[in-house]
Amino acid sequence: MQCDGIMLGSAQLSSTYYANTCPTVETIVRDAVTAKFQETFNAVGGVVRLLFHDCFVEGCDGSVLISSTSTNKAERDNDLNLSLNSDGFDAIVRAKAAVESVCPNQVSCADILVMATRDMIELAGGPSYSVELGRFDGLVSSSDNVDNKLPLPTFNLDQLTALFASNNISQKDMIALSACHTIGLGHCNKFKSRLYGSTKDSSLNPSYAAYLADKCPENSNSDDHVFLDPVTPGTFDKQYFQNLIDGMGLFSSDQVLYTDTRSQPLVNSSKHLSVPLRTWLGLVSRPVCQVISAKIVWL
């Protein structure tokens, strides 16, 4: 994928950034993303996770998309990124190719990733929202830059809160952002320790634990996976919070949001919101797509 050739600098984001250079860019990206979505729903979680892993490391600069070379191990090949879904990468590759065929060397991969994420969320039943554009692609992508920048599935509440706070994201927004685990896949090696032996996790719903053990036996490999949301895996909705209340958070970093009494009220209030679903989804999507700090511009 060619994600270079876009000049570096500080972008002034605007919803009309490409009005003169590529006025149909959002339609082009949406058409490419829709075609990928129609092939496999797995691309939804794949694209959303790509955006998160891009923005939390070096800001939203598309550097997670850059391939390694013989002299450089890129971000995408860091151990924490090896489980990034190939369908997510493929969706961006297709969208980039479609854009280049109409507007060569005009639109950054970083912006394409932001647009594709918005479109995937809407295709999965989430809200439609406008995006501001004008990001520049980073030309540097190093595996070393990923270390200590991404949350681990074993993190407790203090570790999660500290990491998100370092990106100017509050605990409340962190919990809303975690609800993106309403879609996507979780690999067995990321949570299997919760099922067996001395690290067996009593906070897991027993029926859910039995289901996971069936899908992920002790000898399962890193390619085996399950849906993050076992109830409505094909819909971007608020089932995630009910899953936590029911002891069905896949990762311990999910379940701790409910088992820790400090964050439990936020989970409960999110579950019992009486606003219409699409309004609530707009609230959830806000931190996904509009968290802005010195380092992160998600929208």
Side-chain angles (χ1 to χ4, degrees):
M1 177 190 297
Q2 293 298 314
C3 286
D4 52 14
I6 308 296
M7 61 182 178
L8 297 174
S10 298
Q12 182 64 48
L13 300 185
S14 168
S15 61
T16 59
Y17 186 83
Y18 296 111
N20 295 323
T21 57
C22 194
T24 60
V25 63
E26 294 199 50
T27 299
I28 297 170
V29 171
R30 185 175 296 111
D31 288 347
V33 165
T34 299
K36 182 63 181 181
F37 173 83
Q38 290 171 342
E39 289 181 15
T40 173
F41 180 81
N42 289 342
V44 179
V47 169
V48 172
R49 191 163 176 241
L50 271 180
L51 180 64
F52 179 85
H53 282 232
D54 184 40
C55 294
F56 254 54
V57 175
E58 290 297 316
C60 305
D61 65 349
S63 55
V64 73
L65 303 168
I66 297 175
S67 298
S68 295
T69 67
S70 59
T71 58
N72 179 66
K73 184 178 179 181
E75 290 175 28
R76 65 190 291 173
D77 289 320
N78 183 282
D79 287 347
L80 295 178
N81 283 335
L82 293 179
S83 61
L84 289 173
N85 192 320
S86 61
D87 286 313
F89 283 109
D90 186 56
I92 306 305
V93 168
R94 294 189 190 189
K96 174 66 171 175
V99 170
E100 286 298 303
S101 70
V102 178
C103 311
N105 299 319
Q106 296 298 323
V107 182
S108 67
C109 289
D111 276 343
I112 289 173
L113 179 54
V114 168
M115 287 183 277
T117 300
R118 182 269 313 273
D119 295 336
M120 283 293 190
I121 287 175
E122 183 180 7
L123 287 165
S128 176
Y129 51 88
S130 62
V131 295
E132 293 183 335
L133 304 169
R135 292 162 194 78
F136 298 122
D137 285 332
L139 302 184
V140 175
S141 180
S142 172
S143 173
D144 292 340
N145 292 339
V146 178
D147 297 333
N148 303 314
K149 300 287 183 62
L150 296 171
L152 301 179
T154 55
F155 269 13
N156 60 35
L157 184 64
D158 289 331
Q159 291 170 311
L160 289 169
T161 302
L163 179 64
F164 280 78
S166 70
N167 290 292
N168 292 340
I169 299 176
S170 69
Q171 187 181 92
K172 180 179 181 180
D173 282 349
M174 175 189 78
I175 291 172
L177 182 57
S178 298
C180 281
H181 280 182
T182 183
I183 52 175
L185 303 171
H187 289 78
C188 293
N189 64 337
K190 301 297 184 183
F191 62 84
K192 194 166 56 175
S193 62
R194 302 182 71 198
L195 305 176
Y196 304 106
S198 61
T199 57
K200 190 172 182 178
D201 190 343
S202 61
S203 69
L204 270 173
N205 179 302
S207 297
Y208 185 50
Y211 164 81
L212 293 176
D214 180 63
K215 298 296 183 181
C216 298
E218 287 192 77
N219 63 348
S220 57
N221 61 50
S222 59
D223 292 328
D224 294 331
H225 56 265
V226 298
F227 287 115
L228 291 169
D229 177 0
V231 180
T232 57
T235 307
F236 191 96
D237 58 16
K238 62 179 182 178
Q239 180 63 38
Y240 172 81
F241 295 116
Q242 184 61 54
N243 289 344
L244 299 188
I245 294 169
D246 293 339
M248 296 169 60
L250 184 61
F251 302 129
S252 57
S253 57
D254 289 316
Q255 194 58 51
V256 74
L257 300 180
Y258 186 73
T259 56
D260 193 305
T261 55
R262 294 171 294 173
S263 53
Q264 187 179 103
L266 286 172
V267 174
N268 281 327
S269 63
S270 298
K271 163 62 179 69
H272 294 295
L273 281 174
S274 59
V275 297
L277 179 59
R278 290 189 68 82
T279 302
W280 178 88
L281 288 170
L283 297 175
V284 170
S285 294
R286 186 174 182 82
V288 177
C289 309
Q290 291 180 303
V291 171
I292 300 176
S293 70
K295 181 178 179 183
I296 298 177
V297 184
W298 286 64
L299 207 160

